[in-house]
Every structure is written in structure tokens, then in C-alpha cells.
Amino acid sequence: MWRVTLAVGIALLAGCSGVFPADPTAGDTDPVTPAPVPTSSPDATVPVPTSDGGVDVDRLLDRHERALASRSFHRHVEQAGPQNTLDVWIDREREVRRVRRRFGPISDDVVLANGTVYTNVRDDPDTPYSATPATPNTSLVASPAGRDLLRLLMSGTEYRRVGAFEWNGRPVAVLAATNTGTPAAENGSGVQRSRLYVDRQGILRYVEHVERRPDRPDIDARMTVATGIGRVPIPWWLEDSDPYSSGSM
């Protein structure tokens, strides 16, 4: 497995306000999927792993990661507005991957395809990208499915199932944090709202998490996951070497 970990993965919530990703077939100019507005569907049965009367978070994250391990998908994370985002696109069939991190006016963008890592060069107008050979251990992000980030957000939070709905044509179970509204620590930190929308395959389709932290930047994060994408959107700076246009594709 290729591994060239981009310094965007876990560090997204450290230091700055944080991060989070995905709309169905998102391109560079596509709008971000809004918060879900589900339609009640009493017949929507979605299994959720439980333990001691609550949601088993470890098993929930294991199912999410396993479900995405063999699927093409787009994961979009947004923290405190569209100026702080992370996008991860994975095309399993053609082995094309892309990771884009935006923080204010700064954007880091990397594409992995055909055994080559293409990195956007921001400070040289005559050189839009650099190309380096990938190795068997090259990866663009430490946790493509977002497990590390989700574990960080959900750490110490208890969840219960509060409903099942039909959302975007698929049944989802809605899980809500039970320990909200009151500080969880002596410094006044505490989860204000945390909801997870999980489907029958175990994929966390939508996550929202709001946490107040007086001694650190607050967290206000959204994550969406779309599967079955047709292809990874190729950025403008790589159009002359579009991996989908090459003979190997």
C-alpha cells in the first residue's frame, strides 16, 4: 500500500480550529453537501453495535473503516466554515487518489496515480506541480476513512440511538450524544451537540460535532461521506497530465 502521508490527516484538529469532509461526486467547484434533512421512515431498520445499553463506538468505527476499505468514496470534512476543509477522494478501481486541504487562502493538493505522486506547487507560477515516484508504502493521508479524526472527536462521548430515517434514498440510524450541555471537565469543556448518521453497511454518512473548549479553540465540525463516485476530480493544475486520459487508464 502506498504511503506518503500528507501532513493534513490527524493534525487537522490540532493547533487550529480543527477540520472535517463529502458531497456525492464533488469537483473543485461543487457545493458542499448540506446537513441532512431526513424523512421519517419507521420501516428503516439499521443495525447499530451496542454495549452496556449504549453505542459501542469502537465497533462502530471498525465497521465504518471496513466498509470503506473496498469502496470508492469521497470524504469531506469542514471545520468552522468552508475556509477550513479536508477532502479525500479514493477511486479503488483505477487506483487514483487525491487529498486536498484548504485553510483560508492556502490549499495543499496531492494526487496519487500511475505510481506517481503529483503535488501542487503554490509558489512557482511556471511549475504547477512536482512529480515524484511512489513507493509501495506511499499513502496520502494516515486515515483515509477518517477513523483517527472520528476517534478524536468521539473520545469520551456516549451515544444512543434516537431514530431511523430515509436520507438520500437510503435508511440511516441517527445516534446522538447523551452527555451534552454540561461541562465534561473542570475547565468547562463539553460537547454541545454530536450526531452520527450511519447506514446499513456501517458507513458514517454524516457527522456533526460541536464542542466548547475554553482553554483551546472550539470544535464545530461536519463530515460527510459519499460512496460509488465515478472518478476522482482532477484539479486544474494537473489537467495536462490527467491520469484518466492516459493510456494506462
Side-chain angles (χ1 to χ4, degrees):
M1 175 85 111
W2 292 322
R3 175 172 267 118
V4 133
T5 303
L6 189 67
V8 316
I10 301 177
L12 293 178
L13 284 175
C16 59
S17 298
V19 268
F20 254 85
D23 43 80
T25 55
D28 287 343
T29 59
D30 291 340
V32 174
T33 297
V37 181
T39 301
S40 297
S41 179
D43 296 328
T45 55
V46 179
V48 175
T50 59
S51 177
D52 297 327
V55 175
D56 190 323
V57 171
D58 287 337
R59 289 169 58 199
L60 187 73
L61 295 183
D62 285 344
R63 290 176 57 201
H64 172 76
E65 189 170 50
R66 287 198 306 269
L68 292 180
S70 60
R71 288 176 166 85
S72 298
F73 66 89
H74 173 210
R75 182 169 66 92
H76 175 82
V77 175
E78 183 174 310
Q79 167 66 22
Q83 297 305 309
N84 188 5
T85 63
L86 169 71
D87 286 279
V88 178
W89 291 274
I90 305 287
D91 181 345
R92 301 285 184 192
E93 181 180 355
R94 299 171 181 83
E95 297 186 352
V96 179
R97 303 185 178 196
R98 179 184 176 190
V99 174
R100 181 185 64 195
R101 166 72 196 279
R102 287 176 173 169
F103 184 67
I106 299 174
S107 179
D108 292 320
D109 207 352
V110 181
V111 175
L112 172 59
N114 300 329
T116 301
V117 177
Y118 302 93
T119 305
N120 183 213
V121 177
R122 297 194 306 265
D123 54 0
D124 186 350
D126 297 323
T127 307
Y129 64 87
S130 64
T132 58
T135 70
N137 293 323
T138 296
S139 176
L140 300 184
V141 65
S143 178
R147 182 190 178 101
D148 293 341
L149 182 57
L150 290 169
R151 183 177 294 280
L152 179 63
L153 292 178
M154 297 162 65
S155 176
T157 304
E158 299 177 354
Y159 293 87
R160 64 183 177 88
R161 182 181 183 133
V162 296
F165 303 95
E166 191 80 17
W167 178 50
N168 286 350
R170 70 177 72 243
V172 295
V174 183
L175 316 179
T178 59
N179 53 335
T180 59
T182 57
E186 293 182 0
N187 62 4
S189 297
V191 174
Q192 302 300 302
R193 179 180 174 85
S194 188
R195 290 210 167 198
L196 320 173
Y197 290 66
V198 59
D199 69 7
R200 287 172 173 167
Q201 287 72 45
I203 299 172
L204 291 168
R205 294 288 176 174
Y206 179 80
V207 173
E208 59 176 332
H209 186 91
V210 179
E211 186 173 341
R212 301 299 171 225
R213 307 189 299 178
D215 58 340
R216 292 172 292 168
D218 293 340
I219 298 174
D220 188 348
R222 305 287 185 274
M223 183 180 91
T224 55
V225 175
T227 52
I229 63 172
R231 52 174 280 166
V232 172
I234 302 303
W236 65 267
W237 52 265
L238 193 59
E239 288 178 348
D240 65 342
S241 297
D242 186 340
Y244 288 100
S245 299
S246 66
S248 60
M249 290 285 109

